[in-house]
Amino acid sequence: MITHSKDKQLKQMFAGGLSAAITRFTCQPLDVLKIRFQLQVEPLKSSAVESKYKSIPQACRVIFKEEGLLAFWRGHNPAQVLSICFGTTQFWTYEQLHLITKQTPYLRDRPNFSNFLCGATAGGAATVVVSPMDVIRTRRIAQDKNKGYTNSFQAFGNIIRTEGPRGLYRGVVMGVVQIAPLMGCNFMFYRLFTNTALEMKGVTDRKQLSTVLLLSLGAASGMCSKTIVYPFDLIKRRLQIQGFAQNRQTYGKQLVYAGAINCLLSILREEKLIGLYKGMIPTLIKSGATTAIHFSMYDKLSQIVEKL
């Protein structure tokens, strides 16, 4: 079986990690808004007096007033490590699997299914790798000002001491359930859209497509994918803050769930179906921007490192 050379694999990992780092720094404020919205039980509407956050503009004003500008990058350090590790693992795994599928007749003849399968597997593997950093990031974003963890290293030690290793993997099953189809759809849609663009422009290589077009195709891919799997992401976030209620007293009603199914049923009972889509607007903006930057940057960086 043909495999990529070690040099090529290192270049793929470098391109994946660097594109992830650039994407994370750019989109972190949207991630903060998304997570704050996801963890709020009260309605996200201007008429809800009891709600801390009511809309994107109002939430931005409240966060800036109460916590300052840097609050929009709260949890950025673990998030950045998470993104680099996730991007490196995801793109490296995808490229190796994609090469294998090209040598498998059944998958070679079904490119959309092949891209979905490779992307889903790569996303699932990366999710397991970065789960501890994801839990720490979520809790640091969700905690009250001057409460909870002072930094990521202290958070890591505290979770290990009080909850055991299991605490670092809260919500990981739901994370894989959400990320696997999300990444599968991301890769499938992106490859499908770019292949369609190649045919329409009469060219044969993505290198010949403009950065603006790649950004647009990436944004469309991310928004389509995220809409499909969003409820799983919301449930994962809520499971990640179980046992952390004492450090987030100013965010409204506390969330206590026995597991993923109980969380789902509780949301449907207390917040109705729309509750599964809280934070959807900043999420779609973030997902579109993230996927656009991530995929287009990966393609461009891959072209650059290939020449090194």
Side-chain angles (χ1 to χ4, degrees):
M1 181 176 292
I2 300 173
T3 59
H4 289 303
S5 67
K6 289 185 178 180
D7 181 62
K8 187 174 181 64
Q9 291 184 40
L10 286 173
K11 289 178 178 179
Q12 291 168 346
M13 294 171 70
F14 176 78
L18 183 56
S19 62
I22 295 171
T23 302
R24 168 59 57 188
F25 179 79
T26 305
C27 300
Q28 177 69 6
L30 290 169
D31 206 34
V32 170
L33 286 174
K34 180 197 77 167
I35 292 176
R36 293 282 179 94
F37 285 4
Q38 287 179 327
L39 300 180
Q40 178 174 290
V41 175
E42 292 78 13
L44 291 168
K45 55 184 180 181
S46 57
S47 60
V49 179
E50 73 278 16
S51 299
K52 183 178 180 70
Y53 302 125
K54 303 176 183 181
S55 67
I56 293 177
Q58 181 268 349
C60 289
R61 290 194 299 271
V62 169
I63 293 172
F64 180 76
K65 180 180 179 181
E66 294 182 351
E67 305 169 60
L69 181 63
L70 292 181
F72 291 101
W73 277 269
R74 179 179 284 184
H76 179 257
N77 290 339
Q80 190 60 273
V81 176
L82 179 154
S83 293
I84 293 172
C85 292
F86 191 96
T88 301
T89 303
Q90 175 186 243
F91 279 104
W92 177 83
T93 304
Y94 174 83
E95 295 290 2
Q96 310 323 305
L97 292 175
H98 192 240
L99 183 62
I100 294 173
T101 61
K102 288 181 178 179
Q103 302 168 59
T104 307
Y106 179 83
L107 294 174
R108 185 178 60 237
D109 297 335
R110 295 167 175 79
N112 290 334
F113 176 66
S114 173
N115 284 322
F116 176 86
L117 184 63
C118 293
T121 305
T127 299
V128 175
V129 170
V130 305
S131 179
M133 289 168 280
D134 196 25
V135 170
I136 292 171
R137 173 186 66 132
T138 298
R139 291 190 178 189
R140 292 205 67 203
I141 290 174
Q143 69 189 22
D144 290 328
K145 187 178 182 181
N146 299 322
K147 278 192 175 183
Y149 311 127
T150 55
N151 57 60
S152 300
F153 293 108
Q154 189 258 343
F156 182 86
N158 186 282
I159 293 172
I160 289 290
R161 185 173 61 256
T162 59
E163 304 173 52
R166 179 175 176 272
L168 294 170
Y169 289 89
R170 287 187 184 274
V172 68
V173 174
M174 188 55 61
V176 172
V177 170
Q178 177 243 335
I179 287 292
L182 174 64
M183 290 298 103
C185 288
N186 272 350
F187 278 98
M188 180 184 71
F189 283 133
Y190 184 69
R191 300 303 188 198
L192 177 62
F193 293 164
T194 52
N195 288 338
T196 301
L198 289 173
E199 291 179 9
M200 292 177 66
K201 287 186 170 292
V203 295
T204 58
D205 195 317
R206 289 200 304 277
K207 297 176 183 178
Q208 298 170 278
L209 298 178
S210 68
T211 301
V212 173
L213 179 56
L214 289 174
L215 283 168
S216 300
L217 298 176
S221 303
M223 295 176 76
C224 289
S225 303
K226 198 65 176 183
T227 301
I228 295 172
V229 303
Y230 184 77
F232 296 115
D233 186 45
L234 184 139
I235 292 172
K236 179 189 75 170
R237 295 297 174 199
R238 295 201 174 183
L239 292 177
Q240 287 179 330
I241 61 167
Q242 297 304 293
F244 192 62
Q246 72 276 10
N247 293 307
R248 53 185 323 272
Q249 298 295 316
T250 65
Y251 290 99
K253 185 176 179 180
Q254 297 302 308
L255 315 170
V256 181
Y257 306 117
I261 300 300
N262 175 251
C263 179
L264 172 64
L265 295 177
S266 295
I267 293 171
L268 290 174
R269 182 174 60 253
E270 298 179 25
E271 305 167 62
K272 310 306 179 187
L273 182 62
I274 196 172
L276 291 172
Y277 289 89
K278 275 186 174 173
M280 186 66 173
I281 294 177
T283 296
L284 283 180
I285 297 172
K286 178 207 171 230
S287 184
T290 297
T291 308
I293 298 171
H294 204 171
F295 277 82
S296 60
M297 283 297 298
Y298 177 73
D299 277 341
K300 293 300 180 183
L301 287 171
S302 294
Q303 295 170 26
I304 294 171
V305 298
E306 275 296 321
K307 299 174 182 178
L308 299 179

